[in-house]
């Protein structure tokens, strides 16, 4: 079992940046695909980005492509989501998750463990 803890959320003005961190503990982190999802009030949880086991391949939702960057450091059991040019519509609780399917699988059901989430609020 892998436990995940997100951090780095907060309040930022539109156009600003935040870097989210997902710290993992437990089983070997490097055997899992990593993903970031988000959920805004009254909306379903949506895919943001995924990264492959070794970190060489990534996949992004169209809404964040070119603004967000996902990365991982398997030696430190940590994953990151660098968010630039933030918009008010990026406001949500952000969750990291792990799964055993390839990084091109992007629905929530493809991931087996989740963190508790971190709030990101972008003011316009």
């Amino acid at each position: 079992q892998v436990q995940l803890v997100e951090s780095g959320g907060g309040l930022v003005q539109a156009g600003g940046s935040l870097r989210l961190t997902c710290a993992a503990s437990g089983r070997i982190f490097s055997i899992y695909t990593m993903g970031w999802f988000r959920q805004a009030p009254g909306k379903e949880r949506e895919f943001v980005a995924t990264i492959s086991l070794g970190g060489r391949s990534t996949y992004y939702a169209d809404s964040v492509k070119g603004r967000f960057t996902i990365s991982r450091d398997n030696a430190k059991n940590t994953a990151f989501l660098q968010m630039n040019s933030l918009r008010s519509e990026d406001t949500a609780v952000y969750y990291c998750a792990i799964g055993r399917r390839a990084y091109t699988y992007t629905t929530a059901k493809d991931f087996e463990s989740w963190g508790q989430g971190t709030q990101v609020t972008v003011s316009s």
Side-chain angles (χ1 to χ4, degrees), residues 1 27 31-33 53 98-103 110-112:
Q1 188 77 15
R27 295 188 62 185
I31 67 173
Y32 296 98
T33 292
L53 305 183
I98 57 169
R100 298 176 189 266
R101 308 193 77 174
Y103 72 99
D110 296 316
F111 292 79
E112 60 189 62

Side-chain angles (χ1 to χ4, degrees), residues 9-16 18 20 37-46 48 63-64 67-68 81 83-95 118-124:
L11 174 64
V12 63
Q13 288 188 335
L18 281 175
L20 304 184
F37 290 76
R38 65 187 182 187
Q39 187 166 16
K43 295 187 178 181
E44 294 186 354
R45 190 168 299 189
E46 66 172 3
V48 174
S63 59
V64 306
R67 300 187 298 123
F68 290 12
L81 185 68
M83 306 186 295
N84 298 329
S85 302
L86 283 162
R87 306 166 180 168
S88 57
E89 54 262 40
D90 295 318
T91 295
V93 177
Y94 283 71
Y95 299 89
T118 185
Q119 176 70 47
V120 171
T121 303
V122 184
S123 62
S124 56

